[in-house]
Amino acid sequence: MKRIVEYGITNKISLGFSSGADIFTVDPSKFYGFKRMDGAPVTAKTEEFTFDGSYHFYVNKRLDLSAFGGLGVFGVAFKSQEADDAKPVVYKASGSMARGGLRVRYYFFRRLGAFGQVSSYTGKCSSKNVKENNLPGEYSTTISGSAIEAGLCYRFIR
C-alpha cells in the first residue's frame, strides 16, 4: 500500500513524502546462501519512506500532471523456519532508495479523485550492524524495477 502526502509550494512545485511496502518471493539458496528443508522460497517484505519533490507541468480544476523524484530509506526483512526444532533464520537490512516517475490525478469531484503513476526505483540495503539479523555473513540486497500504481486521492485545500 502506498501513502503519498504532498504540499503545493507554488502552482508548479510541491514537496512531500511517500511510504509503501511490497512483498517478494525469493529463492534463499540463490540470493542468501541457505536452503530451506522443504525447498520452499521465503517471503521478503520491503518498506520504504522517501522525501519527494514534484514539478506540475499541467494543472487545472480537474487534471494534474506531474513529474516527481524522491530519495529516502529502504529496508528488507524475512524470517524463515528451516525445520520444526531449528532456530528461525532472520534477515533484516536497511539502506537507501531513489525513485522517479510521472503522476496523473483526475478529480471527479471537487476534492475526491483518482491517481495513477508510473515510476522507476532502486533500493539498496545492507545487513551490516543490524542486531536482529542472524543470517551468517553480511549480505547486501538491491532491488530495482518499475511500478505502475493507481488509487484514490483527496485534495484538502482548493
Side-chain angles (χ1 to χ4, degrees):
M1 181 156 101
K2 185 79 143 179
R3 291 166 285 310
I4 302 168
V5 176
E6 192 173 27
Y7 178 75
I9 304 296
T10 69
N11 193 30
K12 298 285 185 187
I13 305 291
S14 64
L15 297 175
F17 61 87
S18 63
S19 66
D22 289 301
I23 298 172
F24 294 93
T25 302
V26 179
D27 179 353
S29 64
K30 187 175 179 182
F31 294 102
Y32 296 104
F34 76 94
K35 186 172 182 171
R36 289 176 41 130
M37 304 253 324
D38 60 4
V42 296
T43 301
K45 297 174 184 167
T46 67
E47 292 183 344
E48 66 200 47
F49 183 88
T50 60
F51 291 99
D52 305 323
S54 297
Y55 178 75
H56 301 259
F57 49 89
Y58 182 81
V59 180
N60 67 24
K61 287 172 84 172
R62 296 237 181 246
L63 190 61
D64 179 352
L65 302 174
S66 63
F68 68 93
L71 297 171
V73 294
F74 177 68
V76 176
F78 66 77
K79 184 176 184 180
S80 176
Q81 188 72 34
E82 289 194 62
D84 291 338
D85 58 347
K87 183 178 176 183
V89 175
V90 176
Y91 175 74
K92 290 187 179 182
S94 59
S96 60
M97 172 177 226
R99 177 185 296 273
L102 299 172
R103 186 177 293 140
V104 60
R105 291 185 185 94
Y106 181 79
Y107 293 94
F108 34 83
F109 296 113
R110 182 176 175 190
R111 299 194 186 282
L112 185 64
F115 92 95
Q117 73 179 30
V118 294
S119 64
S120 291
Y121 61 89
T122 187
K124 184 169 184 170
C125 55
S126 168
S127 63
K128 186 176 182 178
N129 299 325
V130 179
K131 292 179 183 170
E132 298 90 358
N133 186 31
N134 71 359
L135 189 62
E138 289 180 13
Y139 285 87
S140 150
T141 300
T142 300
I143 300 175
S144 297
S146 298
I148 299 173
E149 299 167 294
L152 295 176
C153 59
Y154 185 80
R155 179 171 32 200
F156 288 102
I157 300 171
R158 179 79 170 142

